[in-house]
Amino acid sequence: MPYGISRVTVEDYDHWKAIFDEDAANRQRGSSRGGYVFRNRANPDEVIVLLEFADEAAFEAFASSPETRETMGRSGVIGPPDIAFLDLAARPEV
């Protein structure tokens, strides 16, 4: 399955998370199939979002959409996100 991963620094995690949660419909329209949100233990304002997408084109369209950029601005993202497109290579059992 193809994944998009985004690492961002946010001004306030709780504010960011509320806006992120409100944006679920936008992610769904962008062909996201769900994923995970992680926080850096050493820097709790660093957030990593891993989302599964239908394909690379869907992820790129979502990541560059005006709606996504507007949501990131409202949510308090500091600076540009570090974004990558990933293909699952293995899923170890342990």
Side-chain angles (χ1 to χ4, degrees), residues 65-82:
S65 76
E67 294 86 1
T68 299
R69 289 185 177 156
E70 188 273 332
T71 299
M72 287 176 48
R74 280 189 308 114
S75 68
V77 170
I78 300 169
D82 181 14

Side-chain angles (χ1 to χ4, degrees), residues 35-47:
Y36 302 91
V37 173
F38 302 92
R39 290 177 81 181
N40 183 336
R41 285 186 178 187
N43 177 7
D45 290 329
E46 182 180 74
V47 180

Side-chain angles (χ1 to χ4, degrees), residues 13-84:
Y13 174 80
D14 292 330
H15 173 74
W16 174 86
K17 182 67 165 66
I19 302 296
F20 178 83
D21 290 346
E22 291 172 8
D23 196 48
N26 183 41
R27 291 192 301 278
Q28 189 172 24
R29 278 191 306 277
S31 299
S32 172
R33 297 178 177 167
Y36 302 91
V37 173
F38 302 92
R39 290 177 81 181
N40 183 336
R41 285 186 178 187
N43 177 7
D45 290 329
E46 182 180 74
V47 180
I48 297 170
V49 179
L50 176 66
L51 297 173
E52 182 181 346
F53 281 85
D55 55 45
E56 184 173 359
F59 172 66
E60 288 177 354
F62 169 79
S64 64
S65 76
E67 294 86 1
T68 299
R69 289 185 177 156
E70 188 273 332
T71 299
M72 287 176 48
R74 280 189 308 114
S75 68
V77 170
I78 300 169
D82 181 14
I83 297 175

